[in-house]
Amino acid sequence: MLSPVFLSLLVSAASATLYTPISTTCPSTSLVRAASGLSDNEEAYRVSRKAVADEALKAWLTSTDSGFGTAELPTVALTTSGGGYRSMLSGAGVIQGLDSRDSNVSTSGLFQALTYQAGLSGGSWLLTSISGNNYPTVSNLRDTLWEQALQDSLFDPGELWAAVNDIRIVDDIASKEAAGFDTTLTDPWGRLLGYQFYKQDDGGAGVTWSSVTTFSNFTSHAVPYPVITALGVKVWEGQCLPGPNATTYEFTPYEFGSWDSDVSAFTPTEYLGTSLKGGVPTSALCTTNYDNIGYITGTSSNLFSELCTDLPAPANSSTDVAATLEAVLDKIHE
Ligand SMILES: *[C@@H]1O[C@H](CO)[C@@H](O)[C@H](O)[C@H]1NC(C)=O
Ligand SMILES: *[C@@H]1O[C@H](CO)[C@@H](O)[C@H](O)[C@H]1NC(C)=O
Ligand SMILES: *[C@@H]1O[C@H](CO)[C@@H](O)[C@H](O)[C@H]1NC(C)=O
Ligand SMILES: *[C@@H]1O[C@H](CO)[C@@H](O)[C@H](O)[C@H]1NC(C)=O
């Protein structure tokens, strides 16, 4: 949580932004399920998508070598590792070479044959930039978004200073606090990432990860099912980075949770931010719009635990928020 002093000053001025979580009636369905298998939603998507992907794989195999058998086809998945911009950009090159819309080489067409696509950290920047913009080609993202955004990079503190002052992240964070939610460094981090990866207003401030299920290419099963992964950090045990046995969490547009034995449960992504006790909401009102797409990809790429990062205490004016953010990013650059 950011300093109470500066927050109380900001909160008085806060009005709801696109980023602000919303209180809404709870669904009648349960908000927690045991990790005993895929959710009904994911299973339905997987079956429909596999049928589409099989056709593409069949076509690719046949054109590659007419001798290939195509009677029984595997489920194909692709993931992009962590590694900041290096993994994001090398992963983008891979997708370009697999996407028949974007290349004409021997591997083109295999993107169309994927049933799942995953990404961690820098790999999740790539995944969410593709899915959060409704699956344009990598060339399109390069020309209409990344080329400029990466010049105004998080890795260039001079440019960043301008960005922090220009954009509305301070209001977004104050408004989330005013709505009753603790904020952490992952909030400004996710908002900054948003300006690099999403074309929508205010760097995707109003785009949620769960809303990808309403995008046309998702509803038509034209694209692989996206999975963002994140490693748990046991801060209560003094950890600053994920340990060797870290819990692997996944965020899909439908669910958040983990298959690992210490969690072994899932909750709907759409209702993240809802307060639960024993798996049941503590009030009649649940939360939506907490699962901002930049915030989720920021969670997957959060290499700084605020408990472990030595930062100046935020002072009590909103310009100092910018200074604090700059210090955070300087720290990341080290
Ligand atoms: C792709 O390349 C091959 C071989 O160079 C060529 O025959 C084919 O017409 C090309 N297809 C498209 C869609 O450009
Ligand atoms: C997504 O939909 C658009 C518009 O229908 C289409 O042009 C594009 O190729 C689709 N993307 C994929 C990956 O199928
Ligand atoms: C990792 O987890 C397994 C299973 O929970 C446990 O048996 C093992 O001791 C753990 N190892 C470490 C290094 O924590
Ligand atoms: C702002 O912080 C300074 C230093 O902590 C303190 O002396 C000052 O009274 C604070 N101002 C307000 C308006 O809270």
Side-chain angles (χ1 to χ4, degrees):
M1 182 160 165
L2 299 173
S3 151
V5 178
F6 101 86
L7 284 170
S8 61
L9 286 176
L10 291 178
V11 161
S12 55
S15 58
T17 68
L18 289 172
Y19 185 69
T20 313
I22 294 167
S23 272
T24 188
T25 316
C26 291
S28 54
T29 49
S30 172
L31 284 181
V32 179
R33 71 173 186 92
S36 53
L38 299 182
S39 66
D40 293 347
N41 281 331
E42 179 175 338
E43 176 61 6
Y45 193 93
R46 185 192 69 79
V47 169
S48 300
R49 172 61 194 161
K50 175 93 169 42
V52 176
D54 277 356
E55 288 309 310
L57 184 55
K58 213 179 279 183
W60 184 85
L61 287 168
T62 309
S63 71
T64 301
D65 182 337
S66 58
F68 278 136
T70 55
E72 247 183 273
L73 294 168
T75 297
V76 187
L78 175 74
T79 191
T80 309
S81 77
Y85 287 120
R86 283 163 305 170
S87 64
M88 181 209 148
L89 292 170
S90 58
V94 169
I95 289 173
Q96 203 171 26
L98 297 177
D99 186 347
S100 60
R101 297 174 303 164
D102 209 13
S103 60
N104 182 18
V105 292
S106 62
T107 50
S108 305
L110 284 171
F111 181 74
Q112 279 65 33
L114 300 177
T115 295
Y116 280 93
Q117 184 183 5
L120 168 73
S121 196
S124 80
W125 301 349
L126 172 64
L127 174 67
T128 62
S129 196
I130 293 171
S131 51
N133 291 303
N134 191 27
Y135 294 86
T137 59
V138 161
S139 297
N140 174 282
L141 286 167
R142 178 196 61 204
D143 296 344
T144 63
L145 180 63
W146 297 342
E147 208 156 27
Q148 186 59 47
L150 299 193
Q151 280 173 39
D152 305 337
S153 162
L154 296 180
F155 288 145
D156 180 346
E159 290 293 340
L160 181 78
W161 175 250
V164 166
N165 282 295
D166 274 356
I167 60 186
R168 315 229 167 266
I169 57 177
V170 172
D171 287 350
D172 288 338
I173 291 159
S175 170
K176 183 170 174 179
E177 281 279 342
F181 296 88
D182 285 353
T183 56
T184 69
L185 292 178
T186 304
D187 289 275
W189 173 239
R191 294 298 301 110
L192 286 168
L193 292 171
Y195 285 90
Q196 312 239 307
F197 301 127
Y198 319 114
K199 295 183 189 181
Q200 294 91 337
D201 291 348
D202 280 338
V207 179
T208 58
W209 186 226
S210 54
S211 71
V212 168
T213 61
T214 66
F215 291 2
S216 62
N217 282 312
F218 188 94
T219 57
S220 62
H221 309 109
V223 292
Y225 188 70
V227 182
I228 298 170
T229 60
L231 292 176
V233 177
K234 297 185 171 79
V235 287
W236 61 92
E237 289 177 7
Q239 284 184 357
C240 297
L241 290 169
N245 245 5
T247 308
T248 300
Y249 290 92
E250 65 175 50
F251 296 87
T252 76
Y254 288 127
E255 284 194 320
F256 163 71
S258 177
W259 300 100
D260 289 358
S261 58
D262 54 345
V263 175
S264 197
F266 288 93
T267 189
T269 302
E270 183 182 2
Y271 292 101
L272 280 175
T274 299
S275 180
L276 303 175
K277 191 165 186 186
V280 178
T282 55
S283 100
L285 290 179
C286 284
T287 300
T288 57
N289 205 45
Y290 184 90
D291 61 315
N292 173 266
I293 190 167
Y295 183 62
I296 304 289
T297 202
T299 300
S300 176
S301 58
N302 176 344
L303 290 177
F304 42 91
S305 159
E306 54 233 81
L307 295 180
C308 308
T309 307
D310 184 22
L311 294 171
N316 50 14
S317 78
S318 62
T319 43
D320 289 326
V321 178
T324 303
L325 288 178
E326 200 187 27
V328 170
L329 289 148
D330 279 348
K331 201 81 199 165
I332 293 165
H333 294 142
E334 280 173 7

